[in-house]
Amino acid sequence: MKFTDGYWLMRPGCTARFAAEVADIRADEHRLTLYAPVKHVRGRGDTLNSPLLTVDCWSPAEGVIGVRATHHAGSVDRGPEFALPGTEEGAGKVHRDGETAELSSGALTLRVDSSQPWRLEFSADGRVLTTAGERGTGFVTDADGRHYMLGQLSLSVGELVYGLGERFTPFVKNGQTVDIWQADGGTTSELAYKNIPFHLTNQGYGVFVNHPGKVSYEVGSESVGQVQFSVEDQSLEYFVVHGPTPKEILTRYTALTGRPALPPAWALGLWLTTSFTTDYDEATVNRFVGGMAERGIPLSVFHFDCFWMREYQWSDFTWDAQTFPDPAGMLARLKEQGLRICAWVNPYIAQKSHLFEEGRRAGYLVRRADGSVWQWDLWQPGMALVDFTNPAARDWYTGELRKLLAQGVDCFKTDFGERVPTDVVWHDGSDPERMHNYYTHLYNQAVFELLREERGEGEVMLFARSATAGGQQYPVHWGGDCESHFGAMAESLRGGLSLGLSGFGFWSHDIGGFEGTPTPTVFKRWVQFGLLSSHSRLHGSKSYRVPWDYGEEAVDVTRAFTLLKHRLAPYLHRAAQQAHATGVPAMRAMVLEFPDDPAVATLDRQYLLGDDLLVAPVFTYDGTVDYYVPEGTWTNVLTGDQVTGPRWVREQHGFHTLPLLARPDSVIPFGADDQHPVSAWADGVELRVHAFADGAERTVVIPSPDGPGESARFHLRREGDRLHVTTDSPHPWQLRLGGPEGTVHACPAGTRAADFPFPA
């Protein structure tokens, strides 16, 4: 939200007051409280008839400093608030030296000098990161009497801003106005399903605005040298999070707001759905599942979209008896074929559903101020919202889902949760403006915790569309409704990379696009991209996404990349373990992995999958792709071709290849089983060694497929023309030097150490 009219003037009706100086500092061992008049005080008269801002500064965790600026402290805090599980007492230390006060936490320091004009200076390791200067802390009132608290943090020359959730606008956020406000806007607009009030920059820090309601950002837009954020409230709280690397920033941020749970390994396989408004019944499902098996395409999860329920009645959680007369039997038959089952749900109850009257009588549905149930006809006729602030309503809703789990459903696609009204009264008295964004958190949390209770830790996952800060704890999230062309494919990737820089560990998208029908070329290229994402789902709106609808070559491509993903499962699950432990996403923007290479700062059409695989999807009909390789020799995992960087590369690829490059000095574990995402990964694992320099060392962990543990560990070290390998694995394993056709050395079970010749 913009308040100014250029540098000198305010917009009509707007009045601003900014902290001008520090009148008083109160300090204890761990906390500073600053009292800031909004004009310079030259005499006693200047202390009268004028606001005094209270600015509290503290550290909730090492390397993080919080700032809370308050105008009037007497307002009622109705909630909700973001849960911050990573807070700790006494993380910061205060130091006073005359008129200067400092608050330090780890390497991060906040400095304020009461003898100078207002300035909050954040520095680390002797370098200033950002400052809140003369317009950096204050409030604005508009012509309608609304009161906004405002913060501004300076941008240095060349500083770039990333994050703020899953945004499909340009990847670098400089120059953009961003409103943190949940919306169902697809992938083609500035609206977003996953709005996260957290950004990070390429200067070694991030900022989390601790406000669950609407936060309006002007990112180098209203004032081109500032990131401005404002909220309609009497106080504004934010945290500066030090890195210095982007990975360390995400690690600290997710420690504060919650780490991603670890999804089950079976979810790494290929998902297929009924699609949305297509015609489907049990015969259709059997035709799809059987068709995949006949064509040699292993399928891991089958998803039933909305019309598993009867029309006009979403949600009643009752199978449509005309199309699915024996749901329990059908699910049992599908599970006999090794499939997991996902079912679509949303948090809405249509008036025609038998649950509507039940929920209305019990007070489980969100109400208006006059006591009537809030309803509208968008999406479902007369639909209402479940009030998840009511514990009894939460239990009622999850009780219906529990019945589906008993029938054989394994997980839920938790769709919607964005269009939440503000003219309502919540059971717990929550502020409707704050609850608009926060509702999705309660919704996904309720379903996730039900699954954890019923299925156990390590067997829990959602397929969720909407989220706010902290929502990364309930994976997986997918990119919502995109169109079916290369532009939509690129904007989807852009949104996913932005989400990864906002603390979310896992991300997926509708392979082939959702709206419309992709051409065979687009479908095949999207299949490559989709099966080189953390999670992979074929899904459409008005048309199916079974590969044979797009030609025999599409079948071949889907088969090949599904088998490849299965073989990469130990590598991918290790990346998932890292996301769970550190908050670093499985799919990584290049700037996250190579922050010291200025050439990667704006790259949004390629990414790192885990630590060591560079993926550059193809977005053209003729197979041409431009991509950048950082320093070193990179090896294409599919072809064995090598590229030495740093440099840009232009290549042309058929549908069975794309730039999938192994990092220099990397060792990629390939599982022996290409038919399933879950197997005994250490048994027969193949270690593929790529461009391993003399003196290079690497430890490779083969994860356990059933959780956060490991099943084997290998250590590789090259000395001249010899490669030394040690391991704790009791299983047979093999080593492959070079690309896919490179030399293979097989080692029988019990081989704990071996030396191999290494070609020059």
Side-chain angles (χ1 to χ4, degrees):
M1 176 175 288
K2 293 180 174 67
F3 301 106
T4 59
D5 181 10
Y7 183 77
W8 291 279
L9 303 179
M10 300 298 296
R11 296 200 170 194
C14 291
T15 302
R17 297 289 184 269
F18 298 106
E21 60 185 33
V22 178
D24 187 24
I25 300 176
R26 293 184 182 176
D28 61 26
E29 185 180 358
H30 305 296
R31 192 180 191 94
L32 291 173
T33 300
L34 314 175
Y35 295 92
V38 298
K39 63 182 180 181
H40 293 291
V41 177
R42 293 176 173 82
R44 287 182 173 181
D46 292 330
T47 67
L48 305 175
N49 305 312
S50 182
L52 181 71
L53 300 178
T54 304
V55 181
D56 293 297
C57 309
W58 75 103
S59 174
E62 182 178 337
V64 182
I65 288 179
V67 175
R68 183 179 180 88
T70 303
H71 182 199
H72 290 157
S75 59
V76 176
D77 185 2
R78 297 165 58 192
E81 304 288 348
F82 288 128
L84 301 179
T87 58
E88 56 186 85
E89 293 294 329
K93 300 296 182 184
V94 170
H95 175 71
R96 292 289 301 271
D97 184 7
E99 295 177 310
T100 299
E102 292 184 346
L103 171 65
S104 296
S105 179
L108 180 64
T109 297
L110 166 62
R111 183 178 186 274
V112 60
D113 186 344
S114 61
S115 69
Q116 300 295 318
W118 177 263
R119 176 183 168 93
L120 300 179
E121 179 183 281
F122 297 90
S123 63
D125 301 318
R127 182 174 66 89
V128 174
L129 301 177
T130 189
T131 62
E134 63 175 335
R135 296 186 184 184
T137 307
F139 65 92
V140 177
T141 55
D142 68 10
D144 297 322
R146 290 176 295 212
H147 182 284
Y148 299 90
M149 293 298 294
L150 175 151
Q152 280 189 357
L153 292 173
S154 63
L155 293 170
S156 60
V157 175
E159 186 168 0
L160 302 178
V161 177
Y162 309 94
L164 298 176
E166 182 192 50
R167 314 210 78 83
F168 307 105
T169 54
F171 178 59
V172 175
K173 300 304 181 285
N174 297 57
Q176 297 183 43
T177 297
V178 175
D179 286 334
I180 302 299
W181 192 248
Q182 307 289 59
D184 178 3
T187 68
T188 62
S189 76
E190 79 280 6
L191 304 179
Y193 304 106
K194 306 169 190 68
N195 290 271
I196 315 300
F198 170 77
H199 70 271
L200 55 80
T201 87
N202 61 348
Q203 293 301 304
Y205 70 96
V207 180
F208 170 49
V209 178
N210 188 19
H211 184 87
K214 185 175 183 178
V215 184
S216 184
Y217 283 83
E218 298 291 341
V219 185
S221 46
E222 180 167 20
S223 177
V224 297
Q226 309 283 329
V227 173
Q228 176 176 292
F229 36 90
S230 59
V231 301
E232 187 179 354
D233 208 332
Q234 290 288 335
S235 65
L236 171 65
E237 180 174 299
Y238 62 89
F239 296 98
V240 175
V241 183
H242 179 234
T245 68
K247 286 184 178 180
E248 290 169 305
I249 296 168
L250 289 181
T251 295
R252 292 189 196 277
Y253 167 71
T254 55
L256 185 67
T257 59
R259 293 269 164 75
L262 179 63
W266 51 259
L268 293 171
L270 181 61
W271 297 46
L272 177 64
T273 84
T274 57
S275 288
F276 172 33
T277 59
T278 50
D279 290 329
Y280 48 86
D281 54 16
E282 184 174 356
T284 311
V285 173
N286 290 336
R287 176 165 57 86
F288 285 179
V289 172
M292 297 291 276
E294 290 167 10
R295 292 165 174 85
I297 305 173
L299 194 60
S300 296
V301 182
F302 193 86
H303 167 73
F304 291 85
D305 217 49
C306 315
F307 282 96
W308 69 268
M309 289 182 274
R310 293 165 291 182
E311 65 272 9
Y312 297 126
Q313 310 192 63
W314 306 339
S315 299
D316 63 1
F317 307 110
T318 301
W319 292 83
D320 186 339
Q322 291 187 345
T323 50
F324 301 108
D326 178 22
M330 175 183 66
L331 299 187
R333 289 185 288 274
L334 291 173
K335 293 171 84 71
E336 286 173 0
Q337 299 175 65
L339 293 172
R340 303 283 182 148
I341 305 300
C342 178
W344 177 92
V345 298
N346 69 186
Y348 311 141
I349 307 295
Q351 186 170 293
K352 192 171 185 284
S353 167
H354 72 278
L355 296 176
F356 180 87
E357 182 59 23
E358 183 179 326
R360 186 193 67 80
R361 288 198 311 268
Y364 294 159
L365 306 178
V366 176
R367 296 184 179 271
R368 299 182 186 272
D370 64 2
S372 63
V373 172
W374 182 92
Q375 293 178 265
W376 70 359
D377 293 326
L378 192 61
W379 186 238
Q380 289 290 283
M383 59 161 258
L385 283 77
V386 177
D387 188 344
F388 287 104
T389 73
N390 182 345
R394 172 186 166 125
D395 292 344
W396 172 69
Y397 182 86
T398 57
E400 296 296 322
L401 300 186
R402 201 183 303 270
K403 298 173 186 176
L404 294 169
L405 296 177
Q407 289 180 334
V409 171
D410 295 290
C411 59
F412 295 104
K413 172 184 172 180
T414 48
D415 205 353
F416 288 85
E418 304 94 358
R419 290 189 179 126
V420 177
T422 56
D423 57 340
V424 294
V425 176
W426 295 91
H427 172 81
D428 71 348
S430 285
D431 181 343
E433 191 266 352
R434 287 174 170 241
M435 187 55 73
H436 172 86
N437 285 345
Y438 198 73
Y439 181 83
T440 178
H441 192 78
L442 297 180
Y443 163 43
N444 284 310
Q445 181 185 56
V447 180
F448 192 89
E449 291 182 351
L450 166 70
L451 287 165
R452 183 156 49 198
E453 177 185 337
E454 289 291 318
R455 294 292 186 256
E457 201 74 48
E459 282 293 311
V460 186
M461 70 161 292
L462 309 177
F463 215 85
R465 187 171 79 173
S466 57
T468 187
Q472 68 269 10
Q473 298 171 92
Y474 313 121
V476 169
H477 295 82
W478 102 97
D481 298 347
C482 53
E483 295 180 332
S484 299
H485 51 70
F486 281 128
M489 182 175 154
E491 70 201 19
S492 295
L493 173 56
R494 189 161 60 242
L497 296 180
S498 183
L499 187 67
L501 291 174
S502 305
F504 284 67
F506 309 99
W507 178 78
S508 187
H509 45 97
D510 293 340
I511 296 176
F514 180 70
E515 295 292 352
T517 301
T519 65
T521 295
V522 169
F523 180 83
K524 287 177 281 191
R525 292 302 184 191
W526 212 318
V527 162
Q528 294 178 324
F529 167 40
L531 283 159
L532 292 169
S533 300
S534 77
H535 293 80
S536 311
R537 186 183 72 158
L538 292 160
H539 182 60
S541 177
K542 300 177 181 66
S543 54
Y544 301 126
R545 293 294 178 266
V546 288
W548 50 91
D549 279 2
Y550 304 92
E552 284 307 308
E553 189 175 35
V555 171
D556 295 340
V557 171
T558 306
R559 180 193 309 111
F561 280 87
T562 302
L563 302 187
L564 173 65
K565 190 171 190 188
H566 287 171
R567 294 208 63 191
L568 286 172
Y571 172 83
L572 295 172
H573 193 64
R574 180 58 179 165
Q577 290 180 338
Q578 292 171 329
H580 171 60
T582 69
V584 175
M587 295 175 68
R588 305 171 188 174
M590 296 292 287
V591 71
L592 183 62
E593 198 68 34
F594 302 97
D596 296 325
D597 186 342
V600 308
T602 62
L603 299 186
D604 60 6
R605 296 194 305 275
Q606 62 185 77
Y607 56 95
L608 261 288
L609 182 60
D611 288 330
D612 293 321
L613 288 177
L614 188 158
V615 183
V618 179
F619 298 102
T620 61
Y621 273 94
D622 67 359
T624 300
V625 56
D626 295 324
Y627 64 97
Y628 174 81
V629 287
E631 184 177 4
T633 299
W634 296 72
T635 306
N636 191 306
V637 170
L638 303 174
T639 67
D641 295 339
Q642 292 189 328
V643 178
T644 300
R647 70 183 180 96
W648 280 91
V649 180
R650 173 170 291 179
E651 295 175 346
Q652 193 167 27
H653 285 264
F655 292 112
H656 285 272
T657 64
L658 79 163
L660 175 60
L661 281 72
R663 195 172 188 157
D665 298 327
S666 66
V667 181
I668 310 294
F670 277 65
D673 183 359
D674 63 6
Q675 295 300 304
H676 309 91
V678 180
S679 61
W681 290 327
D683 191 354
V685 67
E686 179 176 287
L687 305 178
R688 295 196 180 181
V689 181
H690 302 95
F692 217 61
D694 190 10
E697 292 190 54
R698 178 63 77 97
T699 296
V700 179
V701 173
I702 309 301
S704 169
D706 56 2
E710 58 184 67
S711 54
R713 182 175 287 248
F714 293 83
H715 182 77
L716 294 85
R717 184 181 79 258
R718 181 184 169 190
E719 294 180 353
D721 61 356
R722 306 297 296 179
L723 183 66
H724 309 285
V725 183
T726 59
T727 181
D728 60 1
S729 175
H731 303 290
W733 53 276
Q734 61 186 33
L735 191 80
R736 185 184 293 270
L737 302 177
E741 304 302 323
T743 303
V744 175
H745 301 276
C747 297
T751 303
R752 300 301 178 99
D755 285 351
F756 304 97
F758 198 94

